């Protein structure tokens, strides 16, 4: 089987649907267009992500993920369960033998927007706290609500760096996510990352907000 990085580069450079290059057992769960990014996550030595609206998938509890996916009737019950299972499987990279160094930046509104009920929110925030306290390779930073408009609010994005130095970016939208590998795109998002990460203090704000959901 070709090395995963080669499949990604072939898809990006040639404009081929990455899912078409993805053999079993990868064609089994979740959205087809997301599977190449899952494999990039598995190979990454470093992941950086900014999310202004929701807890990122790699950090979601089962209850939070299921509640979020049920909203609006966009997904069927079977699809919700399939995506939740995939999301939980993705998270195993954080506890594996060689986990990536992960830095997630979120906005304070993510901590305060109700998903499902107060118990789900409390469990989710306690999960974020536990991750950072028990896994030194995981950092979660929060941009306070009082910070003025910043460049990150243009939309969520993630950056991944592989052991060989190759870098990829992931952008999400209402229809599907997109993987980018062009040097200029990576550089632009890198500058935006430097900007948003500089706005974010420590995890103390998560602990403070967690108390409000009890």
């Amino acid at each position: 089987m070709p090395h995963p990085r080669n499949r990604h580069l072939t898809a990006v450079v040639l404009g081929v649907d990455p899912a078409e290059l993805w053999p079993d057992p990868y064609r089994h769960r979740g959205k087809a267009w997301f599977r190449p990014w899952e494999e990039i996550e598995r190979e990454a030595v470093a992941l950086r992500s900014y999310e202004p609206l929701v807890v990122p998938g790699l950090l979601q509890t089962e209850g939070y993920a299921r509640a979020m996916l049920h909203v609006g009737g966009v997904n069927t019950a079977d699809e919700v369960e399939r995506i939740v299972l995939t999301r939980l499987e993705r998270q195993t990279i954080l506890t594996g033998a060689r986990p990536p160094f992960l830095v997630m930046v979120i906005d304070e509104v993510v901590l305060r927007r109700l998903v499902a009920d107060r118990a789900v929110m409390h469990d989710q925030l306690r999960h974020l706290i536990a991750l950072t306290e028990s896994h030194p390779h995981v950092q979660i930073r929060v941009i306070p609500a009082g910070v003025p408009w910043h460049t990150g609010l243009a939309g969520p994005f993630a950056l991944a760096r592989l052991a060989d130095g190759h870098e990829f970016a992931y952008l999400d939208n209402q229809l599907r996510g997109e993987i980018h590998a062009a040097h200029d795109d990576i550089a632009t998002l890198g500058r935006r990352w430097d900007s948003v990460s500089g706005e974010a203090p420590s995890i103390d704000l998560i602990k403070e907000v967690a108390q409000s959901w009890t």
Side-chain angles (χ1 to χ4, degrees), residues 96-172:
R98 300 179 64 183
F101 184 73
L102 175 71
V103 182
M104 295 282 192
V105 175
I106 58 178
D107 272 78
E108 183 179 349
V109 67
V110 174
L111 309 177
R112 298 190 182 278
R113 176 175 288 117
L114 181 67
V115 173
D117 54 36
R118 301 181 70 86
V120 166
M121 290 302 301
H122 182 260
D123 288 347
Q124 176 62 76
L125 269 58
R126 294 305 306 176
H127 177 62
L128 298 181
I129 296 167
L131 277 174
T132 61
E133 292 182 340
S134 60
H135 297 83
H137 57 278
V138 175
Q139 291 186 14
I140 305 171
R141 305 174 185 173
V142 183
I143 299 177
V147 170
W149 192 93
H150 55 83
T151 57
L153 292 174
F157 63 92
L159 295 164
R161 187 176 74 251
L162 307 189
D164 62 7
H166 278 88
E167 292 186 280
F168 297 90
Y170 177 79
L171 301 177
D172 215 345

Side-chain angles (χ1 to χ4, degrees), residues 75-87:
N75 301 296
T76 67
D78 287 345
E79 287 173 334
V80 168
E81 295 309 310
R82 186 170 66 249
I83 297 171
V84 168
L85 179 58
T86 301
R87 199 159 290 182

Side-chain angles (χ1 to χ4, degrees), residues 1-12 18 21-23 26 35-36 38-45 98 161-168:
M1 182 185 301
H3 192 278
R5 186 187 74 250
N6 295 334
R7 293 198 300 273
H8 302 321
L9 290 174
T10 300
V12 171
L21 304 181
W22 227 248
Y26 300 107
R35 293 170 198 154
E38 290 182 273
E39 188 63 16
I40 289 173
E41 286 182 332
R42 292 189 190 101
E43 293 186 36
V45 296
R98 300 179 64 183
R161 187 176 74 251
L162 307 189
D164 62 7
H166 278 88
E167 292 186 280
F168 297 90

